[in-house]
Amino acid sequence: SAVISQKPSRDICQRGTSLTIQCQVDSQVTMMFWYRQQPGQSLTLIATANQGSEATYESGFVIDKFPISRPNLTFSTLTVSNMSPEDSSIYLCSVMTIQDTEAFFGQGTRLTVV
Amino acid sequence: KQEVTQIPAALSVPEGENLVLNCSFTDSAIYNLQWFRQDPGKGLTSLLLIQSSQREQTSGRLNASLDKSSGRSTLYIAASQPGDSATYLCAVHETSGSRLTFGEGTQLTVNP
């Protein structure tokens, strides 16, 4: 298994500002993903964080709005830029082990934009 | 495009009941399937992982089955407890290392 530390656990932010969410894993993992969960909905993949290169974004998500870094195999950040109330969601980091079978999730970051 | 559906959307049962949560997926060519639990406002906890070659997995009071050819999985919870109250999510991997496709979840309430 993998233990994931995600920070912050929650935040309330002013519109127009940016928030950076950190994801730290206790072991080397090959795949890291960032998901968004809007209120009352299931999870939607934002992007796959690639080590040392640009993230791979899903349709509807762009780098300018959600820049992602992954400098090594155990750490990644997601920034939510120029926030609006529509960005209020839970953001979740997910990893897959070297064996690439089971997925694990962090505790999530509950973001409220006012 | 893979689609995952979970039925029912919500379920309320008295403590002690055995219950079944259903998950169906449109493309049977999956790599594996995972069941997760999510408490309100929190992240996801992995409950059971079933590889595509497996028929079922068990952990304590939980048993998950997989019928890949028909595109169905069930999560059976025995002797339910109030602490089981949460949202249960089903998700599939289409290939090794790929993203997960999630269902909408079943919100379970177990009443004392």
Side-chain angles (χ1 to χ4, degrees):
Chain A
S1 67
V3 177
I4 303 167
S5 174
Q6 190 174 331
K7 297 178 181 179
S9 59
R10 59 173 57 215
D11 207 342
I12 301 173
C13 300
Q14 297 291 322
R15 68 175 65 202
T17 62
S18 298
L19 176 72
T20 295
I21 303 167
Q22 297 181 359
C23 177
Q24 178 75 53
V25 190
D26 68 342
S27 58
Q28 292 190 343
V29 294
T30 53
M31 307 297 291
M32 296 184 80
F33 305 91
W34 287 98
Y35 288 83
R36 180 177 74 180
Q37 186 177 32
Q38 294 178 298
Q41 297 188 27
S42 193
L43 281 74
T44 301
L45 181 66
I46 297 172
T48 302
N50 301 309
Q51 185 205 354
S53 65
E54 192 172 290
T56 304
Y57 289 84
E58 296 296 304
S59 175
F61 297 96
V62 295
I63 187 171
D64 290 345
K65 176 67 175 176
F66 298 102
I68 289 171
S69 77
R70 187 180 175 190
N72 56 51
L73 288 176
T74 62
F75 185 78
S76 177
T77 65
L78 167 72
T79 299
V80 186
S81 304
N82 188 25
M83 289 183 285
S84 67
E86 292 70 35
D87 294 320
S88 297
S89 297
I90 298 174
Y91 292 86
L92 296 126
C93 170
S94 175
V95 306
M96 294 185 71
T97 61
I98 293 291
Q99 294 78 14
D100 288 340
T101 54
E102 190 168 4
F104 298 94
F105 282 78
Q107 284 301 299
T109 296
R110 189 166 200 169
L111 171 62
T112 303
V113 183
V114 297
Chain B
K1 177 187 173 186
Q2 178 75 268
E3 293 183 1
V4 180
T5 305
Q6 291 186 245
I7 295 173
L11 182 63
S12 181
V13 300
E15 182 176 3
E17 269 204 10
N18 302 323
L19 55 99
V20 175
L21 308 181
N22 297 290
C23 171
S24 62
F25 43 95
T26 55
D27 186 346
S28 62
I30 63 169
Y31 183 71
N32 62 33
L33 182 146
Q34 268 185 271
W35 282 93
F36 294 91
R37 169 188 172 135
Q38 185 177 32
D39 293 294
K42 301 294 185 181
L44 277 64
T45 300
S46 180
L47 297 174
L48 289 165
L49 169 72
I50 310 178
Q51 302 292 350
S52 62
S53 59
Q54 297 176 322
R55 298 284 293 183
E56 66 178 334
Q57 281 287 336
T58 298
S59 176
R61 294 183 294 108
L62 305 179
N63 176 276
S65 67
L66 174 63
D67 185 342
K68 193 176 142 182
S69 61
S70 67
R72 294 180 182 177
S73 177
T74 61
L75 179 66
Y76 175 83
I77 302 176
S80 59
Q81 303 171 358
D84 294 331
S85 298
T87 296
Y88 291 80
L89 293 157
C90 164
V92 300
H93 277 119
E94 295 184 39
T95 61
S96 173
S98 72
R99 43 92 65 84
L100 283 164
T101 301
F102 281 87
E104 295 293 319
T106 294
Q107 186 174 353
L108 172 65
T109 302
V110 180
N111 301 299

